[in-house]
Amino acid sequence: MRDDDCCRPQRRSFLTALAGVTAATAFTATSAGTAHAATVDAYADPTNPALQKGSMKLDPSRAALVVIDPQIDFMSPTGKAWPVVGESVTEHNVVPNLGRLFGAAKADGIVVAISPHYYYHWDHAWKIQGPLEVFQHQIGIFDRKGPYTSDGFRDSGADFLPEFKKYIEDGKTIICSPHKLYGPQVNDLPFQLRKQRVDQIILAGMLANMCVESHLREFLELGFEVAVVRDAVAAPKLPEGDGYLASLINFRYMANGLWTTDETVRMLQG
C-alpha cells in the first residue's frame, strides 16, 4: 500500500465539500447579480484611474519569460486544484495564452525560465502553516517521491502540462529548483536570471494572487523590471474572495507593465 492511500478518502471528501461550497457560492452570487454582471466587467481597468500605467518597454536582449507552476495540478481538469482554480483558468484562456507566450519567446530567442512547485514527504510534516499551505497538503498537490528520483513523476500532478513540454523540455529552458511557499526566495531563479544578464521579466503562470504576486514583489525589490501578463495568470475563487481580482488590483499598483498576451506577443515579434 502506498503511503498516501490512507489519506485519499479524506482528501477526496475535502475536495468534494470544497467544490460544493464554491459552486454554491458562485450560484448565489450569480443569482443575485446577473443583471449587473451582464453590464459590468469586474476585471476591467478603471475608467478614471488615479495612477499612471507602468512604462516598461520590452528589450528582448535583456528580458526573460518566467512561468510559474505550469503544472498539471493547477492547469488541467485532472489536476487536484482544478475544483477551485478551473473556472479562472478557463475564463482567462490561460493554457492557450501561455502556449502563445512560450512560442513567441522561443521564436524570439529570449531566456525562458520555469519556477516550479514540488512537495516531498517531509514537507507534509511542517508545524507552521498558513491556510493555503494546509489546503495544498490536504489534497496532496505537487507531490513527488523525492528530489533525486523521477519515479511516479511523469504525468502526475507535479508534472508539466503536456501542451508545454515541447517548450520546457527543449534543453534550453531553465528549470529552477522548486519554490516552497509563494516567492522565489528559496529557489535559484534570481541567480539564474542574473547569470543570463536578465533584468526585465515577463511574468505569467499560477496562482495570480499567491505565487505570481510574490514573485513580482520579490523581483521588484531586487531591482528587476517586471511586467505581468494579465490573461496568462489565474487564481482560486472561494468564499474568501476572488484571488484573480485581488491580484489584479495589486498588479495595477506595483507592476512595471500589465500586458495582455496579444500585446506581449506583438512586442516579442516586433
Side-chain angles (χ1 to χ4, degrees), residues 70-130:
Q71 295 163 264
I72 288 173
D73 269 343
F74 269 166
M75 295 189 181
S76 168
T78 65
K80 293 175 181 174
W82 191 256
V84 297
V85 303
E87 181 181 350
S88 186
V89 171
T90 303
E91 183 177 14
H92 302 294
N93 297 310
V94 172
V95 173
N97 285 340
L98 276 176
R100 293 177 61 205
L101 290 174
F102 273 125
K106 291 295 183 179
D108 195 52
I110 72 168
V111 174
V112 177
I114 307 299
S115 182
H117 210 147
Y118 302 131
Y119 286 127
Y120 310 121
H121 65 87
W122 49 82
D123 296 325
H124 292 292
W126 292 348
K127 293 179 172 57
I128 301 171
Q129 300 187 70

Side-chain angles (χ1 to χ4, degrees), residues 204-215:
M206 301 285 282
L207 297 167
N209 62 321
M210 305 304 294
C211 298
V212 177
E213 184 174 322
S214 292
H215 278 67

